[in-house]
């Protein structure tokens, strides 16, 4: 894959994640409008951490599956 393609994919995915993250953060702020801003921020960080753990497990599984396919060939 060319460097420009890789850069384009990184920017595209980064923009998508940024937009999704902001929308999720805004939704959490709307749901927790009765709470302190510190609690809103803490819940947003908690969900971000959960999302990163889930994504890392998915990426690891893809890498493992690719290794298993290559080993079976």
């Amino acid at each position: 894959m060319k460097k420009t393609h890789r850069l384009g994919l990184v920017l595209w995915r980064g923009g998508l994640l940024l937009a999704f993250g902001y929308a999720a953060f805004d939704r959490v702020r709307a749901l927790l409008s009765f709470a302190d801003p510190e609690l809103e921020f803490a819940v947003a960080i908690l969900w971000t951490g959960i999302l990163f753990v889930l994504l890392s497990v998915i990426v690891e599984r893809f890498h493992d599956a690719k290794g298993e396919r290559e080993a079976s060939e």
Side-chain angles (χ1 to χ4, degrees):
M1 180 179 290
K2 292 182 180 179
K3 288 183 181 181
T4 56
H5 290 148
R6 186 174 300 205
L7 179 63
L9 284 174
V10 167
L11 290 174
W12 175 73
R13 289 178 182 169
L16 189 64
L17 285 174
L18 184 63
F20 176 75
Y22 179 76
F25 180 73
D26 195 40
R27 176 75 59 173
V28 167
R29 288 191 72 198
L31 291 174
L32 296 175
S33 61
F34 62 89
D36 296 333
E38 291 84 7
L39 179 62
E40 293 175 6
F41 189 68
V43 170
I45 289 177
L46 173 74
W47 281 109
T48 303
I50 290 171
L51 178 68
F52 280 140
V53 169
L54 180 64
L55 286 175
S56 71
V57 169
I58 291 170
V59 168
E60 182 179 346
R61 181 62 194 129
F62 277 123
H63 286 292
D64 290 346
K66 184 177 179 181
E68 291 171 3
R69 270 196 312 264
E70 290 174 356
S72 67
E73 293 177 355

